[in-house]
Each structure stands twice: as C-alpha cells, then as structure tokens.
Amino acid sequence: MTFGKTTCRNFENDLKITKLTEHIGANIEGVDLSDPLDEATVLAIKEALEQNGVVVFRNQALSPVAHRDFSANFGPLVGHVLNRFNMEECPEVTILSNAVNDKGEKIGADRAGMIWHSDMSFVKRPSLGSLLYCVECPPVGADTQFASMFAAYDALSTEGKVRLASLKGVHDYPWHYRTYLSHRTPLTTEEEAKTPPVLHPVIRTHPSTERQALYVGEGLTRTIDGMDEEEGRKLVVELSNFATQPQFVYSHKWQPGDLVFWDNRSTMHRATEFDDKYLRLMRRTTILGDEPFYHPN
Ligand code: SIN
C-alpha cells in the first residue's frame, strides 16, 4: 500500500490488543511505530485508545522525529507551554528528565505531573492525548499511574451525577506551579500571562464515545467555580481521591522502549517518585484537543 512516496505496511490485521485491567489500559502488539502506518491501523489504535483510555506499546525504537510523526497521526501537536523543555531540533517533543547538562541545569521537566491531573487541562483547548516514550528509567519507582474517569463517573451515585453536572472546575497552572513545583525556576511574567485560569465542566462528555467522564484532578483543578475557595478545594480533592481508588487505576512499570499513549479526555495520571541516583529520560508529545463540553445523555 502506498501514500504518495511513502510505502506503508498494513498492520491492522496483525494487531493484538490485550486488556490490562478491568477498566483501563490495553497492550498493543504487532506494530512497529517507527514505520509509516496505513489509515486502518491508525483507526484501530485510535479506537483501542478511546475504549481503554491508555494503550501500551513495548519494545519500540523511536527517534524524536519518529515519535513526533507517529503522534501526528492523531491530531495537531502542541509542545509544552514552557518552551524551555521542548527539544530545540524537534519542538513538538518535550523532555521529561532528572538529567543535568554540563552547567548543572536540568535538561527537561523534572518531577513533572506528580499530582493527579489531565494534561494541559489549564488551557481552553486541553490535550486530546499524550504519548510518553521511555529512553531510560530507574529499575525501581518512577511508575506512571492512570485512572479511568469513565469508571469513576459510572461509580458516582445518581444524586452525585446530577449535582456535579452543573459545576465547573477552575484549572490554574500558575497556582499549580507555585504549589507543587517550587523546586523549579518560577514562571516568568510572560509565562504566567500565557496561562490564566480557565473553567471546564466537572463532568465532560467524550466527543467520540459520548461516555461521561469526571474531569477534575487534584493537581491542576484549584477549586470549583462559584464555591467558597476552600469548600471547592475540598470537593476537588474528594473527587480526585474517589476517582483514583485502586480498582480504577493502571500502574505502568516502565522499560526502555515503551511508548504509552493515553486519552486525556477520559483518564488522569500522575508520575511517582524515584531515587535520583538513577537516570530517568522520557520524551513526550501532546495532541491538541477540543474544548471540553457536557451533554446530558
Ligand atoms: C506527565 O504528567 O505527563 C508525566 C508523567 C510521567 O513522567 O510519568
């Protein structure tokens, strides 16, 4: 099969998709992500992502360019809002790492996303999905945990669903940065100005599956619009804890060569701690999404 000058292999019928837990995560085998993919295979991966929230590909050898090109099959890419963490030669790819350069400066975002969140929920059009590739990782720790916000929504009481349907969360990156990232160089005035707080529905409807998902995470949702700040914060933390009960969570234990692709519209995630005697070097791409909405169904 050919597209223009590029020869594409048809992997669709070779894909083996295996669920990892009851509510979230699937492993996909039978595809080399550094090859150009045909449309049917891209569609099969998109469907597996939307059904399972997270898809895992093991044993991939991806250059930053190949990582970018695979990701671009699913929508336009946006780099990190902080340009300093994007690769100079491939700005759609962000480095997450504890490594330092010869000036002793961190080469990427270190300890990014250790509190439950959905990527870029602090902008008007948050990320559809993110793709994280492991170059090197510690032998212990540094797992990434993912929670199914579909499963969390389904487990709410009927009264809870009705009450939450009219609420909006306040997603606030400068607040997040001051609260959780005090080990980093503070945001500049320009960076703060690029990311004013935004409101998103607490329950969002997935644009493809039309399933409802909770859309609140302790890390980026500061409070609830219209509520007393502390009361709203209490509700955010309560919902975040509810959504991350073990039965809704898949924990990914990284190996070099893993590419994990998650749907930010139906999941949230967090990174976990590790010992700095080990190197962690990850590359991430982020796909632009739509403005979140709630449609009763
Ligand atoms: C993220 O929040 O996107 C990063 C997750 C990780 O580094 O494990």
Side-chain angles (χ1 to χ4, degrees):
M1 180 175 222
T2 54
F3 283 97
K5 289 191 192 128
T6 317
T7 303
C8 295
R9 276 185 51 200
N10 186 333
F11 289 102
E12 189 200 9
N13 300 323
D14 301 336
L15 291 185
K16 186 174 164 214
I17 302 175
T18 317
K19 277 178 91 65
L20 293 166
T21 74
E22 184 187 348
H23 295 296
I24 180 166
N27 198 49
I28 304 189
E29 292 169 90
V31 58
D32 178 347
L33 303 180
S34 65
D35 277 336
L37 305 183
D38 62 278
E39 260 178 64
T41 302
V42 170
L43 192 63
I45 293 172
K46 181 174 172 284
E47 277 175 13
L49 175 80
E50 290 175 350
Q51 295 303 320
N52 297 287
V54 178
V55 288
V56 174
F57 303 87
R58 300 274 192 189
N59 302 313
Q60 302 293 324
L62 291 181
S63 66
V65 168
H67 181 174
R68 178 198 66 193
D69 290 351
F70 170 63
S71 308
N73 284 305
F74 303 94
L77 304 182
V78 278
H80 198 284
V81 282
L82 305 184
N83 285 333
R84 53 187 134 127
F85 299 131
N86 298 330
M87 293 184 85
E88 228 171 274
E89 62 280 26
C90 197
E92 300 88 348
V93 177
T94 304
I95 301 283
L96 308 184
S97 184
N98 60 338
V100 288
N101 63 19
D102 46 17
K103 291 189 208 126
E105 298 156 342
K106 292 272 157 86
I107 65 162
D110 184 22
R111 267 54 179 191
M114 313 270 311
I115 315 290
W116 287 105
H117 66 286
S118 172
D119 283 335
M120 298 187 65
S121 71
F122 52 85
V123 295
K124 214 164 169 294
R125 287 181 62 185
S127 162
L128 175 156
S130 307
L131 299 95
L132 189 60
Y133 177 67
C134 176
V135 181
E136 204 161 331
C137 56
V140 281
D143 299 352
T144 308
Q145 300 186 307
F146 299 91
S148 168
M149 304 303 269
F150 283 155
Y153 173 81
D154 290 346
L156 290 168
S157 65
T158 308
E159 304 77 59
K161 286 175 183 161
V162 171
R163 177 178 173 228
L164 296 176
S166 61
L167 300 182
K168 292 203 162 154
V170 181
H171 298 250
D172 187 339
Y173 191 56
W175 161 83
H176 165 84
Y177 215 89
R178 284 193 297 276
T179 310
Y180 297 114
L181 299 173
S182 53
H183 57 283
R184 292 207 202 143
T185 316
L187 291 180
T188 62
T189 318
E190 292 77 45
E191 285 169 343
E192 285 223 6
K194 271 202 323 201
T195 53
V198 294
L199 303 184
H200 291 307
V202 163
I203 309 295
R204 79 177 282 189
T205 309
H206 193 285
S208 302
T209 66
E210 295 180 6
R211 282 185 74 182
Q212 311 290 15
L214 253 186
Y215 193 58
V216 167
E218 186 177 350
L220 287 169
T221 321
R222 194 189 78 219
T223 186
I224 303 293
D225 186 45
M227 283 178 80
D228 165 74
E229 179 78 20
E230 268 177 42
E231 282 301 303
R233 180 72 192 150
K234 225 169 103 194
L235 179 57
V236 167
V237 173
E238 204 179 291
L239 291 172
S240 204
N241 290 339
F242 178 81
T244 54
Q245 297 174 74
Q247 68 271 27
F248 305 140
V249 172
Y250 164 65
S251 270
H252 187 73
K253 202 154 268 314
W254 290 96
Q255 292 167 11
D258 287 354
L259 184 288
V260 176
F261 183 6
W262 63 88
D263 187 334
N264 281 306
R265 303 163 298 181
S266 65
T267 66
M268 64 175 178
H269 61 281
R270 69 171 177 190
T272 60
E273 260 307 337
F274 61 99
D275 191 325
D276 265 320
K277 72 180 178 206
Y278 301 116
L279 170 66
R280 187 176 197 249
L281 179 56
M282 317 286 283
R283 299 191 200 118
R284 195 184 74 190
T285 50
T286 308
I287 303 162
L288 178 67
D290 298 326
E291 199 171 331
F293 62 87
Y294 170 68
H295 276 171
N297 53 20

